[in-house]
Amino acid sequence: MAAFPNVNAAQKYARDVVGGKILACSFVKAACARHLNDLKASKAKAYPYKFDRDAAERVCSFIQLMPHTKGKWARGKQRIKLEPWQLFIFSMIYGWKIKADNTRRFREAYIEVPRKNGKSIIAAGAGIYGLCADNEYGAEVYCGATSEKQAWEVFRPALTMAKKLPNLRKKFNVVTWAKKLERPDGSKFEPLIGDPGDGASPSLGIIDEYHEHRDSSLYDTIISGMGSRDQPLVLVITTAGSDIAGPCYVMRDRCVNMLEGTEQEDDLFAIIYTIDKDDDWTSEEAILKANPNAGVSVSLSYLKARQASGIKHARKTNNIKTKHFNIWVSAKESFFNMEAWRKCEDRTLRIQDFAGIDCYYGFDLARKLDLTGMVRVFVKRINEQNHYYCIGPTFWVPEDTVNSDEDRRTSERYQGWVNAEFLEATDGAEIDYREVLAHATEANEEAPAQESGIDPHGAANLSHQLDDAGMNPVTIAQSYTHMSDPMKELEAAILTGRFHHDGHPIMTWCVGNVVGKYLPGNDDVVRPIKQGNQNKIDGAVALIMAIGRAMNAAQSGGSILDSLSDDDILVM
C-alpha cells in the first residue's frame, strides 16, 4: 500500500466524497461513485476496463516534480503538491485502461472548476507530461484558446516549469523556445489560436476556458486530427460561463447526462465543481462545496469577500455566482433560474398525449429579418395549481440571415440548429408569414387554440388570418401591463416544478437570455428585455404571452396592474 501514496489519497478522496465526509455537489459525488463502482466491476473478466495503479501513480509523481511558477510557493522554490481532488482527477484520466490493449480508456476529459482553484497547474502539468512522459513518439501537445493571451495562461507556466528544471530538459532533451517546447523526436508543446492546421496530429489537446469559445471548431479539429494516435486525449478545463447555447454548455450537458446515468459514454471523464440546485449560495458550505482548493490556492477570506459583494450588489451577483460557484447564467442579469429550468425538462412529452387539454399559443414575430417563434402551452389543473407544458415550439429565420457574413457567431448558431432540424429557414431575406400561417393552421388542427397571444409588430395581416383559422388571436403589447404577471408566473412555475418543457434548445437559449426590466420605483412590476442584439428572447416572449392568455382565462379578480395604462408605463 505504501508504494502508491498518491493513488491511495485519490481513492480515499473518492470514498470520503461518496461517504459524505467531504462536502461535494451531486456531480462530484457521481464522478467518485462511478470510479468506485467501476473498480468493483473491473474484477469481472468480461468488463473491458481496468484501473492501472502504476500508471496513475506515475503521472501524479511526475507532476509533483514540477516547480510552482507563481506566488509564495514560487518564491520559496517549492514543488507542486497536488491536493486529493487533483490526485483523483489525474489518477482517473491516466489510470483507467482498456484491458485488450492497455491503452487509456478516457479520450475526452471535462473539468469544470471555479476561478483560482489551481486550473493552470492541472493544464500545465498535463502538457509537460504529454510532451515528455506519456510514451508518445512525436507527441503533439496544443493548448488552445480563443485568444493568444488565454492560450498563454496555460503555456507560460509550462514553459517556466521547463526552464526551471535543467534535469528535466536533459533527461528528455527538451529545448525551450520563446513560443514552443520541443524534443528531438519531433515532439512539441505549443499554444494554439484557431485550428491546428492540415497535417497536425495532436496527441493531447488542452482547451482552456472553453466557455469563451463561440463554436466547437477548435475542439472538432483537434478531435479529427487524432485518428493516428493510439490513446489521444482532449482535456477541457474551464469555469462556468454565460452562453448556454455555446459548445461548452453542450459538452457540459453531455457530461451531466453521463454522470447522472441517462447516457453511457465510457471514454468520457467529467467532474464538475459547483453547488446543488437547492443550496444557499450565500452560505459558507456553498463556498467549500464549489471550491475544492479553498484555503489552499484561494483563501477562504477572499471567497467570503466575493460572496458578500455578490449579496450586497445585485449587479455583481451573477458574475460572482458564475466565477466562484460555477453556476451557469446566460446573461449577466438573467431573470430566470436556468438550473431550475433544466430540472423542468422532460423529453418524453408528446403532443398526442395532451388531446383535449386546453392549449394556448404565443407568436413573437420580431423583425422579418430575424427569429420568429410560435409556442404552444398546454395547461393542466393539478392540486389547485396550474401546470404548464411547453411542447414542440417552432422557430423560423430567413435563409439569408442563416448564411450572413455580418454576424458569424449568430449565423453559425442558426446553421447548427437548421441542420439539427430545430429551426426552419425560409427562402429569401425575409420571413414568409405564409409559412408561419400554414404551420400554425396545421398545429391548430392537432391542438386547437383556446386563445393566441400575438406580438403586434407587423402582425395585422397574420392576426386576421389566424382569426379566420379559428385561433382566437389577441394582440399583446410588449408592455409592463401585459407582460409582468405572466412573466412572474412563469418564474414561479419554473422554480416550483409546475412548468414542464421538452428541452428544445432554442427555447432554452431564449429563456436564458431574458433580463428583467423593472418599473422605476416598483420592484413588483417587470417585463422581459434582452442584453445585446445577439441574445434573442423571441421564444421566451411568445411563451410569456401564451401563459398570459392561460392566466387571463382562469383569472378571477384583477391584476395589480389594472389601474395602469399602457401609455403610462410602456417603456420599449
Side-chain angles (χ1 to χ4, degrees), residues 102-121:
N102 205 42
T103 58
R104 278 197 300 268
R105 166 187 177 178
F106 295 119
R107 305 303 167 90
E108 296 177 273
Y110 180 86
I111 303 167
E112 190 178 290
V113 65
R115 292 186 64 187
K116 307 293 185 181
N117 277 271
K119 287 195 296 94
S120 62
I121 286 176

Side-chain angles (χ1 to χ4, degrees), residues 162 165-175 183:
L165 294 173
N167 289 339
L168 174 98
R169 298 199 304 274
K170 182 178 180 180
K171 179 176 177 63
F172 296 102
N173 295 314
V174 175
V175 179
R183 297 180 62 205

Side-chain angles (χ1 to χ4, degrees), residues 256-323:
V256 168
N257 289 337
M258 180 273 292
L259 290 170
E260 292 181 341
T262 58
E263 294 182 12
Q264 184 173 342
E265 295 206 44
D266 288 342
D267 60 354
L268 171 64
F269 171 80
I271 194 163
I272 300 170
Y273 286 91
T274 182
I275 59 176
D276 289 308
K277 174 181 173 248
D278 297 324
D279 287 341
D280 177 8
W281 76 274
T282 66
S283 67
E284 183 173 335
E285 289 77 11
I287 291 177
L288 297 175
K289 182 181 283 190
N291 293 271
N293 244 29
V296 183
S297 63
V298 56
S299 71
L300 192 57
S301 61
Y302 169 81
L303 292 171
K304 287 181 177 179
R306 298 298 295 153
Q307 182 186 58
S309 180
I311 295 170
K312 184 177 181 181
H313 304 288
R315 62 184 177 83
K316 297 181 180 180
T317 300
N318 277 354
N319 184 59
I320 289 169
K321 283 183 176 181
T322 301
K323 298 305 181 186

Side-chain angles (χ1 to χ4, degrees), residues 128-143:
I128 293 287
Y129 186 82
L131 174 72
C132 298
D134 201 24
N135 298 321
E136 187 73 47
Y137 188 86
E140 293 182 31
V141 180
Y142 299 101
C143 50

Side-chain angles (χ1 to χ4, degrees), residues 47-66:
Y47 192 74
Y49 309 110
K50 65 180 181 179
F51 184 65
D52 186 336
R53 294 167 68 90
D54 290 302
E57 188 69 26
R58 183 171 184 264
V59 67
C60 293
S61 297
F62 180 93
I63 289 171
Q64 290 183 109
L65 294 174
M66 300 297 105

Side-chain angles (χ1 to χ4, degrees), residues 21 42 124 146 187 201 222 236 247 386 390 463 493 509 553:
K21 294 181 180 179
S42 67
T146 57
S187 295
S201 179
I222 289 176
V236 174
N386 280 348
C390 178
S463 183
W509 180 56

